């Protein structure tokens, strides 16, 4: 892999991986539906960044497990 591409991918992962948002679920946004789309977007982007970071061999904090409400 081109080192410049790898560097840019690593920068993207650092900018977009938010460990705390990987556990967000639709229940988190219940009652605040204006925020539901943004929460889903943030969670999905963080999961994608985590997976790409793992492929690149980056050391990242383990993602949060989805919050379950009973």
């Amino acid at each position: 892999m081109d080192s410049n591409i790898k560097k840019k991918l690593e920068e993207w992962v650092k900018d977009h991986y938010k460990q705390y948002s990987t556990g967000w679920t639709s229940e988190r946004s219940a009652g605040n539906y204006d925020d539901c789309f943004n929460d889903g977007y943030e969670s999905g982007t963080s999961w994608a960044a985590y997976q790409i970071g793992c492929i690149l061999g980056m050391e990242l904090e383990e993602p949060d497990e989805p919050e379950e409400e009973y």
Side-chain angles (χ1 to χ4, degrees), residues 49-65:
Y50 177 75
Q51 292 172 345
I52 291 169
C54 287
I55 291 168
L56 295 173
M58 297 173 69
E59 290 188 30
L60 301 168
E61 288 184 68
E62 289 292 317
D64 277 353
E65 293 297 320

Side-chain angles (χ1 to χ4, degrees), residues 6-62:
K6 183 175 181 180
K7 181 179 176 183
K8 287 183 180 185
L9 283 170
E10 288 174 343
E11 288 175 17
W12 184 86
V13 169
K14 289 176 187 175
D15 289 342
H16 291 87
Y17 180 56
K18 297 174 179 70
Q19 178 264 347
Y20 58 85
S21 71
T22 57
W24 292 355
T25 63
S26 58
E27 288 85 19
R28 179 182 184 277
S29 298
N32 187 9
Y33 296 105
D34 292 338
D35 199 32
C36 192
F37 176 82
N38 190 52
D39 286 354
Y41 175 82
E42 289 291 328
S43 178
T45 301
S46 289
W47 274 109
Y50 177 75
Q51 292 172 345
I52 291 169
C54 287
I55 291 168
L56 295 173
M58 297 173 69
E59 290 188 30
L60 301 168
E61 288 184 68
E62 289 292 317

